[in-house]
Amino acid sequence: MNANLEQIKQEILAGAEELNSSKEVYEFKKKFLDGKTGKIGLLMKEMKNIPNEEKAAYGKGVNELKAWALEFLGGLDEKMKAKELQARYEAEKIDISLPAETTAEGNLHPITLVRNEIIDIFSGMGFEIYEGPEIETDYYNFTALNTPQDHPARDMQDTFYLSPEFLLRTQTSAGQIHVMEKKQPPIKILSPGKVFRSDDDATHSPMFTQMEGLVVDKGITLCDLQGMLDEFVRQIYGEGTKTRLRPSYFPFTEPSVEVDCSCFECGGKGCKLCKGTGWIEILGAGVVNNKVLENCGIDTSVYSGFAFGIGIERTAMLKYGINNIKMLFESDIKVLNQLNDK
Ligand code: PHE
C-alpha cells in the first residue's frame, strides 16, 4: 500500500518538472487533490476495502501524502506566480529615455494681462473692484454724470442706443453712479469693463476696455490724484516715469485733466513713440463734479473726490509697441505669442 503512496509522490515530483505556468499548476493540483476525482482523494474512498487492522496506518499515510502535496504544490504555485508577475513587469516597463511629447501651452491675452496688472497696482493702494452692467440706462451713462439730454458733450461719444432709454455703456464712469448710490464715502473703487462706441480706425475699436477709478472722501484734491497716478505709472512703465496734467473737459469732473506720462521709451528726450514730444497721453481724469456727488446724495460740504478712466487697449498698445488696435482682437496666435514673450 505504501508503495502506491510513494508512487503517487514520485508521479507528482516528476510531473511538477514539466509545469510552466500557474494555470498548469492549478490543473495539475486538481488531478491529485480534487476531493472527488483527484488521485489522493480517491485513496480515501479505498478505506472501506482496507482490512481493519491496517486502516489506521493507511489513513495516516494518505493524510501525510495529502499534506505534503498541498504544501509542495502550493509552494510551486507561489513561485510560478512570482515569475509571471516579474515577466509582466518587464513587458510593461516604461522607457523613460523617450523624448516627451511637447504640449501646447496657453497664456493670458495681453488685455487680460494689462487689466490684471492695473488691478494689482491699485489693489495695493486699497482699491476695491466693482463691475457694472454693460447695458445701461441713459441716466447712468449720461444724465447722472452731468450730461443731460442735448448736452454738447454727448457728441464726444458716438453711442449705440438699444432704445430711447437703454444703451451700450460708452464709459465705465457709469459705474461711479451705481457705487455712490449704494455706498456713502469713504469710497475707493476700481471698475474694469467693456465699453462701446461707434468708432473704428487703427487706434479705435467699437468695443474696447476701460478701467475706472473713483475715490471719494474728506479733503480729496487733485494732488491726491496726481500722487496716486505717479505711483501707477512708476509701477506699470518703470522707475523714473512721471506724470503731467493738462487741462481738459469732461462734464462729470471739474477741473478735468488729460494725464500724460514721460515717454518710457526715450525717457523724455523725444522719439517716434512720443512723436518727439517726450510725453505720452495715457488717461482722462479730474475732480468729481459736485453736481455728480449731489445726484448721488453725497454731501459736498463734507466730501470731495477724484476719478480717472484708463483705456486698457491703449495701455497694452503702448506697453507692447502695437500700432494697430485690431491686432488685439484678431487673436492671431503668432502675434499673441510674441506679445507674451515681452
Ligand atoms: N469716461 C471718460 C472717457 O471715457 C474718462 C474719464 C473717467 C474722465 C473719469 C474723467 C474721469 O473718456
Side-chain angles (χ1 to χ4, degrees), residues 3-295:
N4 192 11
L5 297 187
E6 186 55 34
Q7 195 196 329
I8 293 179
K9 185 172 177 176
Q10 289 310 321
E11 209 181 312
I12 292 177
L13 285 170
E17 301 278 326
E18 312 288 316
L19 302 176
N20 292 311
S21 70
S22 57
K23 190 159 176 272
E24 282 176 25
V25 173
Y26 175 78
E27 296 298 337
F28 188 71
K29 213 167 142 185
K30 236 165 78 178
K31 221 164 97 188
F32 291 92
L33 288 162
D34 186 274
K36 282 185 197 133
T37 58
K39 281 192 178 173
I40 298 177
L42 291 175
L43 287 178
M44 274 305 187
K45 288 191 182 149
E46 284 296 305
M47 190 67 102
K48 57 182 182 300
N49 304 323
I50 302 291
N52 273 347
E53 64 278 14
E54 285 174 28
K55 270 191 167 63
Y58 178 78
K60 190 171 172 249
V62 174
N63 276 333
E64 274 171 8
L65 175 65
K66 191 177 166 186
W68 170 83
L70 271 173
E71 200 189 315
F72 174 71
L73 291 175
L76 193 62
D77 183 52
E78 250 173 54
K79 256 188 252 161
M80 213 56 97
K81 282 190 172 139
K83 227 171 82 186
E84 282 164 1
L85 194 63
Q86 188 59 31
R88 227 182 90 192
Y89 284 154
E90 262 150 46
E92 289 176 3
K93 214 193 267 171
I94 298 164
D95 182 357
I96 54 165
S97 68
L98 272 179
E101 268 178 43
T102 51
T103 45
E105 206 181 298
N107 42 32
L108 296 175
H109 191 276
I111 297 289
T112 311
L113 290 174
V114 170
R115 180 185 186 273
N116 290 351
E117 195 178 347
I118 298 175
I119 289 177
D120 274 356
I121 295 173
F122 283 102
S123 33
M125 300 186 216
F127 281 72
E128 284 174 67
I129 305 295
Y130 167 81
E131 280 181 285
E134 287 171 9
I135 294 176
E136 275 293 3
T137 60
D138 186 275
Y139 176 78
Y140 285 98
N141 195 79
F142 289 125
T143 308
L145 286 162
N146 193 34
T147 324
Q149 212 84 48
D150 303 326
H151 192 291
R154 286 209 179 196
D155 297 341
M156 287 163 76
Q157 301 171 358
D158 238 332
T159 311
F160 290 114
Y161 278 92
L162 303 173
S163 71
E165 190 191 357
F166 289 99
L167 47 81
L168 295 181
R169 69 174 171 197
T170 59
Q171 49 190 355
T172 44
S173 304
Q176 290 186 27
I177 307 298
H178 287 290
V179 171
M180 289 192 283
E181 272 182 355
K182 283 192 211 102
K183 190 178 176 319
Q184 279 293 310
I187 291 171
K188 211 171 180 188
I189 58 113
L190 202 60
S191 186
K194 291 189 178 107
V195 297
F196 308 84
R197 290 181 202 177
S198 182
D199 213 350
D200 200 4
D201 61 31
T203 53
H204 296 89
S205 148
M207 187 282 293
F208 61 105
T209 326
Q210 282 188 332
M211 181 78 77
E212 192 85 5
L214 173 71
V215 175
V216 185
D217 205 346
K218 288 179 184 153
I220 296 290
T221 68
L222 201 62
C223 279
D224 298 304
L225 169 71
Q226 190 164 20
M228 234 171 231
L229 293 179
D230 269 335
E231 182 57 21
F232 166 64
V233 296
R234 197 182 61 72
Q235 288 196 39
I236 198 156
Y237 293 123
E239 208 66 50
T241 314
K242 289 192 286 286
T243 61
R244 163 178 96 167
L245 308 186
R246 277 181 295 114
S248 182
Y249 175 75
F250 300 104
F252 37 89
T253 45
E254 182 58 41
S256 301
V257 291
E258 212 64 71
V259 181
D260 297 339
C261 73
S262 53
C263 181
F264 42 84
E265 193 78 18
C266 64
K269 286 197 274 308
C271 68
K272 227 171 106 190
L273 184 68
C274 59
K275 301 192 183 84
T277 63
W279 295 93
I280 297 173
E281 185 184 319
I282 52 164
L283 57 95
V287 171
V288 181
N289 193 313
N290 276 350
K291 288 209 180 115
V292 176
L293 296 177
E294 280 158 15
N295 285 342

